[in-house]
Amino acid sequence: EIGVRLVGSEMCIRDSSSSAFINRKDVRDAIFSRDNNKCIICGSTDNLQIDHIHSVYSVIKGQYPLERLNSEENLRTLCNHCNASKIP
């Protein structure tokens, strides 16, 4: 689970646990399988990654609930190119 703490009036999130979660083999296999082992944007099967649709940053800003950050509906398969090209 993600570590959250308050610093002044800002919520801070330690993302290492989120990264560890999406790098787990069982999580990667489940999301890749659900998305037919291809990037959901361009269809590539090369250099696939798990992406958070709503980012850790959106949780920090209060725009997305922390408890849903690593939910299946917030994870998707993207290739490295599409993931690097998305608008934050």
Side-chain angles (χ1 to χ4, degrees):
E1 189 164 311
I2 303 248
V4 180
R5 62 188 169 88
L6 204 58
V7 175
S9 62
E10 293 290 315
M11 181 171 47
C12 296
I13 296 181
R14 181 176 40 84
D15 186 26
S16 61
S17 56
S18 178
S19 296
F21 179 79
I22 64 173
N23 284 318
R24 284 181 20 192
K25 182 174 178 7
D26 61 328
V27 173
R28 294 174 64 78
D29 288 349
I31 301 301
F32 287 163
S33 177
R34 182 200 65 198
D35 295 340
N36 297 312
N37 294 299
K38 61 184 176 182
C39 175
I40 65 162
I41 294 175
C42 73
S44 174
T45 57
D46 296 326
N47 301 310
L48 297 178
Q49 303 174 348
I50 302 298
D51 174 57
H52 286 97
I53 297 166
H54 298 280
S55 68
V56 171
Y57 182 76
S58 69
V59 172
I60 292 170
K61 291 299 184 184
Q63 300 167 344
Y64 196 75
L66 174 63
E67 60 274 5
R68 296 188 58 205
L69 182 65
N70 287 324
S71 62
E72 185 175 339
E73 64 269 7
N74 192 44
L75 300 175
R76 64 183 176 179
T77 303
L78 294 183
C79 68
N80 182 48
H81 175 76
C82 288
N83 197 8
S85 299
K86 71 180 186 176
I87 297 171

